[in-house]
Amino acid sequence: MEAEGVPAREGSVRVVLVDDHAIFRSGLKADLDSRISVVGEAGTVEQAIAVIAQTRPDVVLLDVHLPGGLGGGGREVIAGSIALLGTTRFLALSVSDAAEDVVAVIRAGARGYVTKTISGAEITDAVMRVAGGDAVFSPRLAGFVLDAFGTSPADIADDELDRLSARELEVMRLIARGYSYKEVAKELFISIKTVETHVSAVLRKLQLSSRHELTKWAAERRLL
């Protein structure tokens, strides 16, 4: 499928729908409320990677099992869009509630996993929360992730994050998402020199040597 070609509503969350059933995508679009603009659709792995690259959405609603590619389905779509993980978030939406499916797509980089049994209003809420940086799971599915990773990502990061000031935390998130120093300065209304100082402090406190390591560190802890 191609990008929608319809401008997103100002202030809305831009979403790409990826599912191999066109009738499901149509129904889902009708159920999503006005806070969401569907800017593209896809039904295969290849189509999804192309449309995501073209539209650069805020959130991708992604089915786990898709035709095409090398047979990796949703995981392969995320892998093929890895360069956008700092700005585009993936929310798995599937009929499957199998532990292996949940864990695999979360390991690949998805920010959450909901089943198709939830309502349109609940899906809208999940999209909005993921766009805002939260991780979202249907009831009981979060347990699979906690079991697989041994503990909550938030718990893993707590001690390390306590080392950072509130401003350093803001800078860290933006740098890890791929913002330039100039863009961070503009976003936070501070000077580029101040950004440089904060980045140096963050790298020192977290014992990292580069912004590439910082991005990897933040991604592993689901902080992007």
Side-chain angles (χ1 to χ4, degrees):
M1 299 284 293
E2 295 297 323
E4 290 285 281
V6 177
R9 290 179 295 276
E10 185 175 354
S12 64
V13 173
R14 302 171 66 256
V15 172
V16 164
L17 304 181
V18 181
D19 191 283
D20 59 331
H21 295 99
I23 193 168
F24 175 78
R25 297 196 306 267
S26 296
L28 180 56
K29 275 200 297 186
D31 280 343
L32 297 172
D33 73 26
S34 59
R35 292 175 293 170
I36 294 174
S37 292
V38 175
V39 297
E41 299 181 38
T44 69
V45 169
E46 294 89 350
Q47 290 171 355
I49 292 172
V51 171
I52 291 165
Q54 179 184 347
T55 60
R56 296 177 176 261
D58 302 307
V59 177
V60 177
L61 268 172
L62 178 68
D63 196 3
V64 174
H65 300 291
L66 293 166
L70 300 175
R75 289 183 293 111
E76 192 173 342
V77 172
I78 297 174
S81 309
I82 196 74
L84 300 178
L85 275 186
T87 54
T88 294
R89 295 181 170 93
F90 291 80
L91 174 60
L93 175 63
S94 178
V95 294
S96 171
D97 61 1
E100 58 268 26
D101 285 337
V102 178
V103 172
V105 78
I106 296 302
R107 284 192 188 280
R111 294 286 300 182
Y113 194 115
V114 294
T115 60
K116 290 181 178 179
T117 56
I118 68 175
S119 68
E122 289 171 323
I123 293 176
T124 294
D125 178 66
V127 169
M128 299 302 295
R129 288 171 60 193
V130 166
D134 289 343
V136 180
F137 297 91
S138 287
R140 95 182 183 86
L141 300 188
F144 297 152
V145 178
L146 298 185
D147 289 344
F149 287 90
T151 185
S152 164
D155 291 340
I156 295 172
D158 275 350
D159 289 344
E160 294 162 306
L161 291 180
D162 285 344
R163 303 172 194 167
L164 306 183
S165 69
R167 178 62 89 185
E168 288 169 349
L169 185 58
E170 289 179 314
V171 171
M172 180 275 289
R173 287 184 183 276
L174 294 175
I175 290 294
R177 289 172 182 168
Y179 282 56
S180 67
Y181 284 11
K182 183 177 180 181
E183 289 169 332
V184 173
K186 183 177 180 181
E187 182 79 13
L188 300 180
F189 301 101
I190 57 180
S191 70
I192 294 176
K193 180 69 174 177
T194 300
V195 173
E196 293 173 348
T197 300
H198 285 314
V199 171
S200 295
V202 168
L203 293 177
R204 184 182 71 254
K205 290 179 179 181
L206 298 180
Q207 299 180 7
L208 302 171
S209 61
S210 68
R211 61 183 298 166
H212 173 73
E213 287 188 3
L214 178 61
T215 298
K216 182 181 178 184
W217 180 92
E220 288 173 347
R221 289 156 179 79
R222 312 292 184 214
L223 296 174
L224 295 180

